[in-house]
């Protein structure tokens, strides 16, 4: 008589599951688990094209998020994967995966930054530290972009399509530096409506210079 553990359907189901558990109610680390660390996940492997140096912060987090998402580790920096607590049977698995993410983040930053982030307790602490430190550096650029939009005027050398292309490129950069929160509430829809109206008024204002 076949035992429960010999059931092919159950075995296949556990292989596919992100949260398979053994008899001790501890998470089984399969390749589909966020706690899984492959032998190919070498801490020294370059993950992004350019190391974070502060001036390239706008590009760096986007690249890192794509890498972490591909490795199913993004949750360690956006808090969707939380510390289960030292008393939990899965704590060591979480700690091992989080430590790997910390090493990845540190190794994708300039050597001059290592001293200020290498003593963080968890990966999210490093992520928030870098965000707080370098996101503020975008403030002068944001001010300049808004100034450019307000003063932007169409000249005779540009047709309307070319002028709109220049206008939109500035607005797109602003949206990257000042992303709106993701929400479906009424207040957010009203905010989006005002954003579109403001964009239209600025664009028409630039056309009125003819």
């Amino acid at each position: 008589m076949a035992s429960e553990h010999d059931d092919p359907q159950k075995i296949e189901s556990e292989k596919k599951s992100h949260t398979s558990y053994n008899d001790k109610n501890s998470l089984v680390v399969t390749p589909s688990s966020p706690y899984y660390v492959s032998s190919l996940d070498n801490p020294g492997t370059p993950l992004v094209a350019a190391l974070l140096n502060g001036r390239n912060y706008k590009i760096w987090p986007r690249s890192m998020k794509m890498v972490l998402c591909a490795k199913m580790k993004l949750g360690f920096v956006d808090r969707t994967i939380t510390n289960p607590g030292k008393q939990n049977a899965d704590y060591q698995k979480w700690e091992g995966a989080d430590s790997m993410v910390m090493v990845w983040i540190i190794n994708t930053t300039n050597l001059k930054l290592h001293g200020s982030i290498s003593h963080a307790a968890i990966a999210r602490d490093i992520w928030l530290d870098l965000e707080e430190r370098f996101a503020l550096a975008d403030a002068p650029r944001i001010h300049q972009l808004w100034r450019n939009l307000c003063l932007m005027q169409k000249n005779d050398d540009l047709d309307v399509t070319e002028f709109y292309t220049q206008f939109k490129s500035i607005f797109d950069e602003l949206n990257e530096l000042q992303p709106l929160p993701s929400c479906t509430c009424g207040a957010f829809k009203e905010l989006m409506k005002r954003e579109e109206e403001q964009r239209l008024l600025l664009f028409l204002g630039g056309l009125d210079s003819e």
Side-chain angles (χ1 to χ4, degrees), residues 51-114:
L51 299 181
L52 173 66
N53 57 24
R55 296 184 299 275
N56 61 345
Y57 180 76
K58 187 177 72 173
I59 299 173
W60 179 85
R62 184 187 308 171
S63 300
M64 279 299 297
K65 284 180 179 180
M66 288 191 291
V67 171
L68 293 175
C69 185
K71 293 179 174 292
M72 296 184 293
K73 301 293 186 291
L74 183 59
F76 288 92
V77 298
D78 69 8
R79 291 193 68 183
T80 56
I81 300 175
T82 57
N83 185 340
K86 292 186 177 181
Q87 304 304 317
N88 191 289
D90 299 323
Y91 175 76
Q92 288 187 338
K93 300 182 182 70
W94 172 87
E95 185 179 39
D98 187 76
S99 295
M100 179 62 74
V101 175
M102 290 177 67
V103 173
W104 284 337
I105 295 175
I106 292 173
N107 287 347
T108 55
T109 63
N110 188 282
L111 186 61
K112 294 180 180 179
L113 299 175
H114 288 190

Side-chain angles (χ1 to χ4, degrees), residues 150-158 163 201-210:
C150 293
L151 299 178
M152 195 172 184
Q153 301 291 324
K154 178 184 170 305
N155 57 49
D156 295 336
D157 297 331
L158 298 177
F163 177 69
L201 289 173
L202 286 170
F203 178 70
L204 294 177
L207 292 179
D208 284 345
S209 63
E210 293 185 298

